[in-house]
Every structure is written in C-alpha cells, then in structure tokens.
Amino acid sequence: MSDFLHPRIGPGLDPGSDRYSGKHEIVDGSRPSPLEWMRTRRLERENRRADAAHQKVAERLGSLGNEWRVLDLQAAAGSERMSFLAVGPGGVFAVTIKDHGRARVNFAGDVVQIDGRRPKYVQEARRNAKVAAEALSRTAGISVPVVPVLAFGGSGVIAVHGMPKGMIVTSYGELSRVLNARGRRLARSTVDKLYSLATNPTTWTNPPYVPLAERYKWYPDGTVSGDKRSADKDSAA
C-alpha cells in the first residue's frame, strides 16, 4: 500500500537519484533539425552555383574588347548578382543578366513571362541603370546617360511581342556583338575617365550637399577649380 501511495522513481527518471542512468537526454535546441540542415545545405549549394555563374559572366564580359571597361555592380553598388557596368566606345551600359535555362521567355513591352511567372526583370534593369547614371552624373558634375541592358542566358526561345522602350534586350551570347554595334560615341580618354569614376567607392555613396561653386570640376589632372586657379597664378608669377 505504501508503495502504491509513494511510487518509487525508477533509474533514469530522477536526475537527483544516485541511480540516474542518463538514458533520457536533454534535447539541444541550438542544433538545427534535419529539415533545417537540408535547407541550409541546399541554400549553400545554390549560392556557390550562383557565385560561379557570376564569375563566369564577369570573365565572359572581358571579351568585349580592349576598348571596353567592365565593373561588377554587385561589389560596387550593392546590386543583385549578374549586374555589371560596361563602359566603351558605344557608351555606358548597365548590363543585367538573367538565366532562364530552357524555359521560353515571352516579352510584351515591360512584361516578361517565364513559366507562368512575371518577374520584374525590366524594372530591375532600369533601376540598375538609374542608380549608375545618378552616381556617375553626381560625381562628374555633368549628365552621364546610362543605357539599361537586359541579357538572357539560356537555351530557351525568346519571343518578343513589343520591346520595352529605352533599353536593349538581347541574349547573353549576342551581348558582345550588340554593344560593339553601337558605334563610337565616346573617345578613349572619356571611357578611361568614366571608368575611373566608377571604380571610386565614393561615387556610389550619397554625400551631403555641396554648393555648386565648391564642387569638383572634371579636369584631366584631377584638380578642383580653386586649385587650378592657384596653379595658374603661381605659373604666371
């Protein structure tokens, strides 16, 4: 009867007992579950695959030619992967590359449809070009137009029913030919200057307002207007 009213706690159930066997382990909540672990591994694989594709595209853009300069916008301006700035004889282009695999791509103006989805690729390409144009124009002190380019990588068919206005849409394989077909609109010295501005980290930040009279002028030697006047006076003396 006493055993029924006061049941004995068996080994392994009472941590304070000398006979505690430790068979009932405490679950570690900090360890990921098998499902979370699988998701993490899959995400890591996808990121590695995306990084490898990004690097491959960056190397491929080097085939534009010796007169072209290419900047990775992901590193410079924090844009999405596969976003680059190409500066060359034909002008300045913000190139956004999308891989659609074997899926068919349908264009109808600003609308892109792939496998029933409507990704905002056109809007993203225009946004990249706008960010680049504002940054370069602010630093140079003059208007620097940047043309948005949307290039598709993949083997699927691209069907066009009306192109989006003010931008270039092409396949990734034809990108080099399309950009080089733009002619010669910029001199080599201008290309070098614009690329120099683009590679300067301060170009992609939004500095506080500075009065126009005190802003830097875009002289070849990199001096400001006040420095140039002082240099002229010194040479005259």
Side-chain angles (χ1 to χ4, degrees):
M1 187 68 178
S2 60
D3 290 340
F4 178 77
L5 294 176
H6 305 284
R8 178 185 297 175
I9 299 178
L13 299 181
D14 183 9
S17 174
D18 295 335
R19 294 173 294 177
Y20 177 59
S21 63
K23 292 182 180 180
H24 298 269
E25 298 179 358
I26 300 176
V27 178
D28 185 359
S30 63
R31 298 181 62 183
S33 66
L35 182 59
E36 292 174 341
W37 180 82
M38 291 177 62
R39 289 175 177 172
T40 301
R41 290 293 300 273
R42 183 169 62 250
L43 182 59
E44 290 175 351
R45 286 196 301 268
E46 292 175 354
N47 285 334
R48 286 196 299 268
R49 194 179 300 115
D51 288 339
H54 183 90
Q55 183 61 30
K56 184 178 180 181
V57 168
E59 294 173 356
R60 178 75 177 274
L61 285 174
S63 64
L64 282 171
N66 295 330
E67 294 181 305
W68 286 84
R69 303 287 183 268
V70 179
L71 177 69
D72 188 340
L73 283 179
Q74 182 188 15
S79 300
E80 298 292 330
R81 285 192 183 99
M82 304 295 195
S83 301
F84 302 89
L85 187 73
V87 186
V92 185
F93 304 89
V95 182
T96 303
I97 300 175
K98 297 296 180 180
D99 188 357
H100 62 99
R102 299 179 181 178
R104 178 187 177 93
V105 179
N106 291 291
F107 257 103
D110 290 359
V111 179
V112 181
Q113 184 164 319
I114 304 175
D115 288 337
R117 298 178 296 106
R118 293 188 175 183
K120 303 294 185 179
Y121 290 163
V122 172
Q123 292 77 2
E124 180 182 339
R126 285 178 173 155
R127 183 169 61 251
N128 290 337
K130 181 180 179 180
V131 169
E134 290 178 349
L136 292 173
S137 299
R138 180 176 60 244
T139 306
I142 59 174
S143 177
V144 179
V146 178
V147 180
V149 178
L150 181 57
F152 285 98
S155 57
V157 176
I158 301 177
V160 179
H161 308 281
M163 296 289 289
K165 295 181 180 180
M167 67 183 303
I168 298 173
V169 178
T170 182
S171 66
Y172 173 61
E174 292 290 314
L175 181 59
S176 178
R177 184 189 65 80
V178 169
L179 293 188
N180 278 304
R182 300 284 292 183
R184 305 188 66 87
R185 306 185 182 192
L186 298 179
R188 179 63 178 269
S189 59
T190 303
V191 171
D192 292 339
K193 289 176 182 178
L194 289 172
Y195 182 71
S196 177
L197 291 179
T199 55
N200 190 333
T202 60
T203 297
W204 304 100
T205 60
N206 193 6
Y209 175 76
V210 178
L212 183 61
E214 299 179 12
R215 293 184 184 178
Y216 283 88
K217 297 297 183 180
W218 198 15
Y219 289 111
D221 57 0
T223 58
V224 297
S225 57
D227 294 339
K228 193 169 182 65
R229 287 195 298 267
S230 299
D232 292 341
K233 290 180 180 180
D234 293 340
S235 61

